[in-house]
Amino acid sequence: LPTVLDPFCGGGSIPLEAQRLGLPARGSDLNPVALLITKGVVEIVPRFANAVPVHPEARQTLAHSGNWSRGKGLAEDVRRYGADILQAARERIGHLYPKGPDGETILTWLWARTVKCPNPACGAEMPLVRSFSLATKAGRQTWVEPEVTGNQCTFAIKTGKGKPRAGTVNRRGATCVCCNTPVAFNYIRTEGKAGRLGVTLLAMVAAGRGKTYLPPDTSHVAIAVSASPSWTPETQMPEKALGFRVQGYGMTHHADLFTLRQLAAMETLSDLAKDVRARVLSDAKATGMADDDLRLEEGGTGATAYADAVSTFLSMGVNRCSGFNSSLCRWGADNEKIMNVFGRQTLSMVWDFGEANILEETVGSWPTCKDYVAECIQVATGYGSTPGQVEQLDAAHAIRKEKNLLVSTDPPYYDNIGYADLSDFFYIWLRRTLGGIYPQLFSTLLVPKAAELVADPSRFDGDKDKAKEHFEDGFKQTFTLLKEKLDLRFPMTVYYAFKQDDEGEPDDEEESGGVSLTTGWETLLESLISTGFQITATWPVRASQQWRMRSRGSNALASYIILACRPRPESAAMTTRRDFLTQLKTELPTAIRHLQHASVQAVDLAQAAIGPGMAVYSRYSRVVEASGERMGVRTALAHINQI
Ligand SMILES: C[S@@+](CC[C@H](N)C(=O)[O-])C[C@H]1O[C@@H](n2cnc3c(N)ncnc32)[C@H](O)[C@@H]1O
């Protein structure tokens, strides 16, 4: 069986699937956040497959009757120690999450940012609200109604007939709810940079049969702002980076992405996930689990390493919480839930946001997140798989000892996602919690950036050409190194992800920017072909998760195109433009008919047809124009599109 390698493994879907097929799996990536997830699923879970849980309650009630095959024992410990963490967190920070006026459990507080109205005759603390809707499903319609007296605004909850008034912020700017003065974003930015944006409580979401909505309660505001975390992530965000759209409003440090209460909660959970390791270790020893005194990173398989493993997964749970506990999390009125901060791979301004009760059963809370991680452990466990191997490596310079590899990879796509910058959001918490267990992986203050293959001009003083060069050179070096390592029985498969912004709505008032679809294609194809690969097929694939906010339910393009590539024989001949065009005309119509018969959908056909077209182009060492110059990929793509 071939060993599968993904040199851009990210969170590990390719190595994980390889492992589930029973193939030895290797993965590498530069990014510690992504790498830790891959390590978790392909290294750590299989290492403790079939382990019996060590938590005393689990042992009393379940140990002898339970089925601990694959990752179930480890998952059970994550649940149980996670429940202990919940209890401890309630003792430490429970007072920050007050009940409603009639003893209701509040699941979410809905806030809006505020700015002082620039109209001197008004001066209201004007709420900045994109939408006043709380629930939009038929029969549940609920919204916030602003009620204005002079320059004061209070909020009531309305249901039933009628509809919410328009929000006070749209793409053009804001409007004062008290005096109707239009307010430009520039003013809000200036106020934000001066630290003068505030917040006001719009509504509270209470648990009950379904959810109920309560008007704001001033005592709740006082409690929320009384939180005083003793540690906050004081690391600086980049001044400019792909997908970062909040610095202009004065959010310049990672700590600015969270409310005080969210910071206090994250700090508490991070402390508890770190400290629980000692208890897991002593419980594991008490159960008689063998111990080799080796840490997880030293290859340990006993109690010491197991304690590291449980703490690792609990920290991942804490990290999942952070994704739902930022002041950039919208409230989804369609499903009445808090949305993850990374609904799109950006950090964009959110004017009205939801703040979850981290201690109750609700989206983004600790109980939900630790159970989610436990569930993932169970689902991710391979079938009889041996642990894979995961390393932090720069794909463009990786020296690998292994040969005869089946390479399958989903590489970074030009300027689509600024993974390294964005993942600092998670890194800051992981480093705090797990820096002791993975000293090497978390040795840097933030995620390493310089070697990342991304065409981000802000890394090159705004120089787009240099950014392009960095990306192209890195790709070429990567594929040159990989070519020497391939198992020639199999094609190398490369995933090409469509740029999210091709369909996404631009952010509130800012253009999403970016390059055309062709630039990404061109760069990938040019790198592959110039390093001696030929493309033998392409296939459109729909992603299982509809992660694009806008594409849900729409007739969107396939999320990926998979390219099958093989090294081009050294003896490959060159051809002329005329012969190339003749062959395209002969071969493409049949190839397209095949694609149609293979149920490639009409919207995907143009993209899929690039495969057979490129197969013609890349089988030659070069295609020469009448002028004697080499025909580039861009020109070839244009010809393919015309047929
Ligand atoms: C499209 S993502 C891979 C996603 C992955 N398939 C998954 O399941 O999460 C591309 C990955 O390439 C990584 N990357 C970018 N430059 C790299 C480099 N020079 N060396 C190694 N990995 C790099 C990024 O950190 C990112 O995780």
Side-chain angles (χ1 to χ4, degrees), residues 130-137 140-147 156-167 333:
R130 186 178 140 120
S131 164
F132 284 103
S133 282
L134 298 173
T136 52
K137 265 200 200 117
R140 289 208 37 88
Q141 289 100 329
T142 312
W143 64 95
V144 171
E145 187 76 33
E147 294 178 342
I157 305 295
K158 301 280 176 191
T159 54
K161 290 217 170 85
K163 58 178 195 175
R165 54 159 285 167

Side-chain angles (χ1 to χ4, degrees), residues 296-309:
L296 197 58
E297 280 294 82
E298 295 167 330
T301 55
T304 301
Y306 188 75
D308 286 342

Side-chain angles (χ1 to χ4, degrees), residues 7-13 29-31 34 393-395 410-412 419 451-453:
F8 297 108
C9 71
S13 35
D29 200 289
L30 261 187
N31 188 317
L393 287 176
D394 171 6
D410 167 23
Y419 289 104
E452 186 187 23
L453 294 181

Side-chain angles (χ1 to χ4, degrees), residues 6-15 28-32 34-35 37-38 392-397 400 409-413 417 419-420 423 447 449-454 470-471 474-475 478 495 497 560:
D6 181 356
F8 297 108
C9 71
S13 35
I14 293 173
S28 56
D29 200 289
L30 261 187
N31 188 317
L35 211 67
I37 300 172
T38 309
Q392 187 180 25
L393 287 176
D394 171 6
H397 296 96
R400 295 175 203 274
T409 193
D410 167 23
Y413 164 48
I417 300 171
Y419 289 104
S423 57
V447 172
K449 313 274 177 346
E452 186 187 23
L453 294 181
V454 60
H470 165 77
F471 185 82
F475 250 43
T478 302
Y495 295 64
Y560 291 98

Side-chain angles (χ1 to χ4, degrees), residues 549-560:
M549 280 181 151
R550 276 274 295 239
S551 64
R552 285 186 289 195
S554 69
N555 189 23
L557 290 175
S559 317
Y560 291 98

Side-chain angles (χ1 to χ4, degrees), residues 69-144:
S69 64
R70 307 210 292 266
K72 287 187 188 148
L74 180 57
E76 183 63 22
D77 273 335
V78 167
R79 276 190 205 99
R80 297 271 177 174
Y81 288 103
D84 293 348
I85 287 178
L86 176 61
Q87 208 176 336
R90 283 200 169 121
E91 281 158 25
R92 290 192 197 177
I93 54 169
H95 61 280
L96 294 177
Y97 298 90
K99 297 276 183 198
D102 294 322
E104 306 93 331
T105 296
I106 304 299
L107 298 177
T108 308
W109 287 266
L110 298 173
W111 302 91
R113 295 184 200 278
T114 61
V115 69
K116 190 176 164 138
C117 175
N119 172 3
C122 176
E125 266 309 307
M126 49 182 269
L128 300 165
V129 181
R130 186 178 140 120
S131 164
F132 284 103
S133 282
L134 298 173
T136 52
K137 265 200 200 117
R140 289 208 37 88
Q141 289 100 329
T142 312
W143 64 95
V144 171

